[in-house]
């Protein structure tokens, strides 16, 4: 096979637009491609095999670098109302917020992946995935989603203007109370994850910390979802 034909076919198949981009994808030096192209000789089987081997190694390295990328970790939650007080948001990233918060919101709006909510001690409460929607949208939906498992006994105290009476005069009973994550979570982390790995990474975390999380659904791995094939 002529070198130019191989380079042209690879560039078209891999969707690259420059020699440097193609060299990076293949895991070879730009000089090697230029040398092949200038000489335009038939490539030996050993040269093609070497290129394929380097391409495979480059793909593995690229996958390691790009599969999971942290966006933010243990960011303090300062919940605020969304437009028209419709619901709670994990933090204010609007025009009145500082540049850091605005930038974080924009990054979450552009990403899919995994997010984690933590309590005030930094212990993980809930792990969620964002695949069909962005992390920002999915995380805020989960933030106010009611789950029967999130129940604790609390005493209800009046919030209207009335005289205080100590417990020995008016005893208030603890009652089973359904809470939302917005009542429990103090921090969150978010990770941009390659779309093909989101389900399995969520499954790993939910299954690995099944006794610590509020997640109800026990997620499965791709191998099980595909019937073991």
């Amino acid at each position: 096979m002529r070198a130019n034909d191989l380079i042209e076919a690879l560039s078209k198949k891999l969707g690259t637009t420059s020699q440097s981009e193609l060299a990076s994808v293949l895991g070879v030096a730009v000089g090697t491609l230029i040398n092949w192209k200038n000489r335009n000789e038939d490539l030996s089987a050993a040269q093609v095999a070497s290129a394929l081997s380097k391409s495979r190694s480059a793909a593995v390295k690229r996958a390691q670098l790009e599969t999971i990328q942290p966006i933010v970790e243990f960011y303090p939650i300062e919940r605020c109302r969304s437009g028209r007080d419709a619901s709670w948001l994990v933090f204010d990233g609007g025009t009145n917020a500082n540049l850091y918060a605005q930038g974080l919101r924009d990054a979450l709006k552009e990403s899919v992946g995994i997010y984690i909510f933590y309590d005030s001690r930094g212990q993980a409460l809930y792990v969620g995935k964002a695949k069909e929607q962005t992390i920002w949208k999915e995380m805020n939906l989960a933030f106010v989603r009611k789950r029967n498992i999130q129940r604790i006994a609390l005493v209800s105290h009046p919030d209207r203007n009335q005289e205080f009476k100590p417990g020995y005069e008016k005893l208030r009973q603890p009652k089973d109370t359904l809470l939302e994550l917005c009542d429990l979570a103090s921090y969150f982390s978010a990770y941009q994850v390659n779309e093909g790995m989101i389900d399995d990474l969520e499954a790993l975390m939910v299954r690995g910390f099944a006794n610590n999380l509020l997640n109800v659904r026990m997620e499965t791995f791709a191998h099980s979802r595909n019937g073991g094939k």
Side-chain angles (χ1 to χ4, degrees):
M1 177 180 289
R2 306 291 288 184
N4 275 344
D5 293 337
L6 177 61
I7 292 173
E8 184 178 345
L10 286 172
S11 181
K12 184 176 181 180
K13 188 70 174 178
L14 298 173
T16 58
T17 57
S18 66
Q19 287 187 353
S20 60
E21 185 181 1
L22 178 59
S24 176
V25 172
L26 294 177
V28 300
V30 178
T32 299
L33 285 184
I34 294 175
N35 185 43
W36 287 357
K37 192 169 184 179
N38 289 340
R39 292 169 61 183
N40 195 27
E41 299 174 347
D42 284 336
L43 296 176
S44 67
Q47 286 176 306
V48 174
S50 177
L52 290 174
S53 176
K54 289 180 179 179
S55 177
R56 181 177 182 276
S57 297
V60 171
K61 184 177 181 180
R62 190 164 58 252
Q64 291 171 336
L65 293 174
E66 297 177 359
T67 296
I68 305 173
Q69 299 185 74
I71 299 173
V72 70
E73 294 180 304
F74 292 97
Y75 188 81
I77 290 174
E78 296 181 359
R79 69 181 189 178
C80 66
R81 287 292 186 182
S82 61
R84 299 181 180 179
D85 291 339
S87 185
W88 288 111
L89 298 176
V90 291
F91 68 93
D92 181 10
T95 54
N96 294 326
N98 60 48
L99 292 177
Y100 189 92
Q102 291 183 42
L104 173 56
R105 180 204 58 182
D106 291 343
L108 295 171
K109 280 187 171 183
E110 296 170 356
S111 303
V112 295
I114 296 293
Y115 58 91
I116 308 168
F117 285 116
Y118 307 91
D119 64 17
S120 60
R121 303 169 301 161
Q123 301 296 313
L125 284 172
Y126 180 83
V127 172
K129 68 180 177 183
K131 191 174 180 181
E132 304 299 329
Q133 305 183 100
T134 66
I135 295 178
W136 173 255
K137 188 168 185 178
E138 180 57 41
M139 185 171 63
N140 281 299
L141 289 174
F143 194 50
V144 294
R145 192 177 295 142
K146 288 182 171 62
R147 298 175 180 82
N148 286 332
I149 195 172
Q150 294 168 197
R151 290 180 177 273
I152 60 175
L154 292 175
V155 173
S156 177
H157 297 278
D159 53 12
R160 61 184 183 276
N161 186 25
Q162 70 178 66
E163 182 182 350
F164 169 74
K165 291 185 178 181
Y168 56 78
E169 291 184 12
K170 182 175 179 58
L171 185 63
R172 299 181 183 277
Q173 293 294 103
K175 295 182 180 180
D176 191 38
T177 306
L178 178 63
L179 299 179
E180 300 170 349
L181 276 173
C182 62
D183 299 312
L184 302 170
S186 297
Y187 306 93
F188 77 88
S189 294
Y191 302 86
Q192 182 175 302
V193 179
N194 181 282
E195 187 172 335
M197 289 297 298
I198 291 176
D199 290 334
D200 276 355
L201 182 57
E202 182 196 30
L204 173 64
M205 300 183 75
V206 170
R207 297 175 73 88
F209 299 94
N211 296 311
N212 304 88
L213 300 172
L214 292 174
N215 295 66
V216 175
R217 180 176 175 179
M218 189 56 62
E219 305 293 343
T220 58
F221 294 104
H223 183 270
S224 299
R225 294 193 299 272
N226 295 330
K229 297 179 181 179

